[in-house]
Amino acid sequence: MKTRLQLESERVLAVEGKDEVSFFEALLKHERIEGIQLLDIGGKDKFAHTLPALVNQDGFSQVHTIGFVRDAEELQADSAFASVCHALASNALPVPPAINTVFHEDARRTGIFIMPNNVEAGMLEDLCLESVRDEPVFDCVEQYIACCLQDRSFHVPKAKVQSFLSIQNPSVTSLGLGALKGYWNFQHDCFNGI
């Protein structure tokens, strides 16, 4: 799947970065969904800056469906949703009335999903970790991170993802590569909302 801003499909999913592109590539393949172009926006704060370039691309008039996915991070999902809605409105694109709804206007559909679950603060890492929380090795990951937290301050979900991926065979260094290798449990109920 292409990740450049050059439009090559009538259905587009704009995501924060390379890891998200790889994650959604794996998820779409798992769900047997084809024909969606994944676009790397370059970070959660880049939607407002990248969207004008996307809207002005040759072929944008042919795009009829656009999905946007971003992390809530420390925000509540409503605040992250409002941020994407502002970017859409600023570029004369249809603005969905609520999170996880698809809005139709002038033959174009838009939708927004806020990681990890459209409600809580968090990110894609939290969603992926939820999918493997019941695996026996996850207790070891939790114990390792708890031990490390005694001496340091770090981003816990990202550290847990790295710890979990480091014990896979073969190990990989990114959440997206973990998705492509099948290390996240796409059968888990936590992915139903997506």
Side-chain angles (χ1 to χ4, degrees):
M1 294 188 182
K2 304 291 182 184
T3 60
R4 295 171 284 135
L5 280 182
Q6 182 176 345
L7 293 169
E8 299 173 358
S9 177
E10 296 173 341
R11 301 187 307 161
V12 172
L13 183 60
V15 298
E16 287 187 23
K18 292 177 184 176
D19 259 351
E20 289 80 2
V21 167
S22 295
F23 170 82
F24 278 100
E25 182 179 336
L27 181 62
L28 291 170
K29 183 177 180 181
H30 172 78
E31 295 293 327
R32 295 184 174 99
I33 298 172
E34 297 178 351
I36 296 177
Q37 181 181 359
L38 297 168
L39 295 177
D40 173 354
I41 296 298
K44 69 177 174 44
D45 298 325
K46 302 289 185 189
F47 282 96
H49 302 293
T50 306
L51 208 46
L54 178 63
V55 170
N56 290 317
Q57 284 288 318
D58 289 338
F60 186 77
S61 61
Q62 303 302 312
V63 174
H64 61 74
T65 305
I66 311 171
F68 298 89
V69 179
R70 73 154 274 187
D71 291 338
E73 302 239 351
E74 66 282 344
L75 301 173
Q76 291 300 312
D78 289 341
S79 297
F81 174 73
S83 171
V84 178
C85 287
H86 178 74
L88 293 176
S90 297
N91 288 280
L93 292 172
V95 177
I99 294 174
N100 210 28
T101 61
V102 177
F103 185 67
H104 305 258
E105 183 180 278
D106 299 329
R108 183 166 283 141
R109 297 181 292 181
T110 56
I112 302 169
F113 188 91
I114 303 298
M115 293 287 181
N117 58 15
N118 284 319
V119 178
E120 299 171 330
M123 61 193 71
L124 178 57
E125 284 83 353
D126 295 300
L127 184 64
C128 290
L129 290 168
E130 183 64 27
S131 79
V132 295
R133 194 165 303 284
D134 294 334
E135 291 190 19
V137 71
F138 199 76
D139 288 340
C140 298
V141 169
E142 294 277 22
Q143 291 172 15
Y144 172 72
I145 296 301
C147 179
C148 291
L149 278 174
Q150 294 175 11
D151 298 328
R152 297 185 179 102
S153 174
F154 51 84
H155 197 276
V156 174
K158 289 184 183 289
K160 286 182 181 181
V161 162
Q162 290 300 310
S163 298
F164 179 79
L165 292 174
S166 72
I167 57 176
Q168 302 305 309
N169 188 12
S171 65
V172 294
T173 58
S174 75
L175 181 148
L177 290 175
L180 293 171
K181 290 284 189 184
Y183 296 158
W184 308 118
N185 178 9
F186 288 134
Q187 301 292 343
H188 196 280
D189 290 345
C190 69
F191 291 115
N192 290 347
I194 296 177

